[in-house]
Amino acid sequence: GQNIDQPTEMTATEGAIVQINCTYQTSGFNGLFWYQQHAGEAPTFLSYNVLDGLEEKGRFSSFLSRSKGYSYLLLKELQMKDSASYLCAVRDSNYQLIWGAGTKLIIKP
Amino acid sequence: GAVVSQHPSRVICKSGTSVKIECRSLDFQATTMFWYRQFPKQSLMLMATSNEGSKATYEQGVEKDKFLINHASLTLSTLTVTSAHPEDSSFYICSAKGGRDYEQYFGPGTRLTVT
């Protein structure tokens, strides 16, 4: 079966760095996505990785290792507004998005 | 990024009635739109994939006669929840596939409450 695993909840301090991991087992791979979702709102696109390596976009970076079925989202200089759920999604061989359950990130002052 | 709108943002309806939710891509043509449902503290569940001008493809377990999807133009898709029941209460989110292959933009979502 297809499976996306990510931690249920993480806590970090304002100004610090946090890494949210995602491991996946899917039938085929056509890209990995990270989305941010604030409570009661729809997800917003953060990053897309299809090749191995690190993609940096401002305070957020996303890493992919296809051989390990592994990705992480790195958030630097954490701000209170970064408190949200972070969803990892993998596009499989049918170009369908398989979603993780999301990681709730709690930022403390 | 591209903008996708949904209307209404919130709706309360009585059991047995039907509700229509609209999803529009405002600044790009969306050949493919997706409808998701999300229950509290759970991840997104794909309900159906909708291609302009053709019938929607429903995921296993989603009743196509209950959740009617119409994608009549490149900028508009509608989801109609027919004969709504309280268990249909959920957060319904649409997304539209943009011009570049990897982009998928989400609407703001519609919170449906069936009483």
Side-chain angles (χ1 to χ4, degrees), chain A residues 53-82:
Chain A
L54 188 68
E55 294 280 344
E56 296 186 79
K57 191 184 292 185
R59 294 190 297 115
F60 294 2
S61 303
S62 57
F63 171 83
L64 174 67
S65 169
R66 288 172 296 171
S67 62
K68 295 181 180 178
Y70 167 71
S71 171
Y72 67 72
L73 179 70
L74 190 72
L75 294 78
K76 303 176 184 176
E77 301 169 16
L78 286 170
Q79 301 175 10
M80 297 304 292
K81 66 178 182 179
D82 297 330

Side-chain angles (χ1 to χ4, degrees), chain A residues 12-24:
Chain A
T13 305
E14 190 177 14
I17 299 172
V18 71
Q19 177 174 310
I20 303 175
N21 296 325
C22 171
T23 58
Y24 63 89

Side-chain angles (χ1 to χ4, degrees), chain A residues 6 30 33 35 37 39-45 47-48 87-88 91 95-97 99-102 104, chain B residues 6 34 36 38 41-46 49 59 91 93 97 101-109 111:
Chain A
Q6 48 181 133
N30 282 296
F33 300 76
Y35 285 86
Q37 186 178 25
E41 299 180 12
T44 54
F45 172 79
S47 68
Y48 168 74
L87 304 170
C88 172
R91 192 161 58 184
Y95 273 73
Q96 185 169 116
L97 279 178
W99 292 88
K104 183 179 180 181
Chain B
Q6 259 182 264
F34 306 88
Y36 293 88
Q38 187 177 34
K41 299 184 180 180
Q42 294 187 24
S43 191
L44 298 168
M45 291 177 53
L46 180 65
T49 302
E59 295 302 300
F91 192 43
I93 309 171
K97 188 171 176 297
D101 186 50
Y102 64 84
E103 293 180 346
Q104 187 173 343
Y105 297 99
F106 285 86
R111 189 160 301 283

